[in-house]
Amino acid sequence: MEPDVYSVALLLAGAAAAAGGVYISRRRRDGPAAALAVALAALAFWDVGGALESAATNRAATVLWGDAKYLGIVVAAPALLCFAVLYRYRGRRRLGRA
């Protein structure tokens, strides 16, 4: 069975997110960069899980990869929120000051 276009697109998106996460984690060592690297890793996991779910040939594999990609779904939103908050308040001593 040949992979469909959707699976290939998700694999490419996952590879791009993983490469971006590795690049950011190696270049920057501050809080927003770490949160963004975690978010990109979660997005990569989500994309690759979706690609493998789409390319699965039987029901058990589809359920396995559908459940596995849920980890990326759950981690991505809080990591992006942490990145946004840390990026907004970078360079300040406390979060309480505007």
Side-chain angles (χ1 to χ4, degrees):
M1 178 177 151
E2 290 187 25
D4 57 341
V5 176
Y6 181 70
S7 296
V8 173
L10 281 175
L11 283 175
L12 290 175
V22 168
Y23 177 78
I24 288 170
S25 67
R26 290 182 184 215
R27 299 275 296 181
R28 303 290 305 255
R29 296 288 181 203
D30 56 351
L36 184 59
V38 169
L40 288 175
L43 292 174
F45 195 82
W46 184 0
D47 286 338
V48 171
L52 293 173
E53 179 187 20
S54 175
T57 57
N58 60 13
R59 177 81 173 142
T62 302
V63 171
L64 172 72
W65 291 114
D67 291 344
K69 77 175 180 181
Y70 187 70
L71 178 65
I73 294 169
V74 169
V75 172
L80 287 171
L81 178 64
C82 288
F83 167 70
V85 169
L86 290 171
Y87 186 80
R88 166 65 178 94
Y89 293 105
R90 69 189 185 282
R92 298 183 186 214
R93 293 190 185 265
R94 293 185 322 167
L95 293 178
R97 294 192 310 193

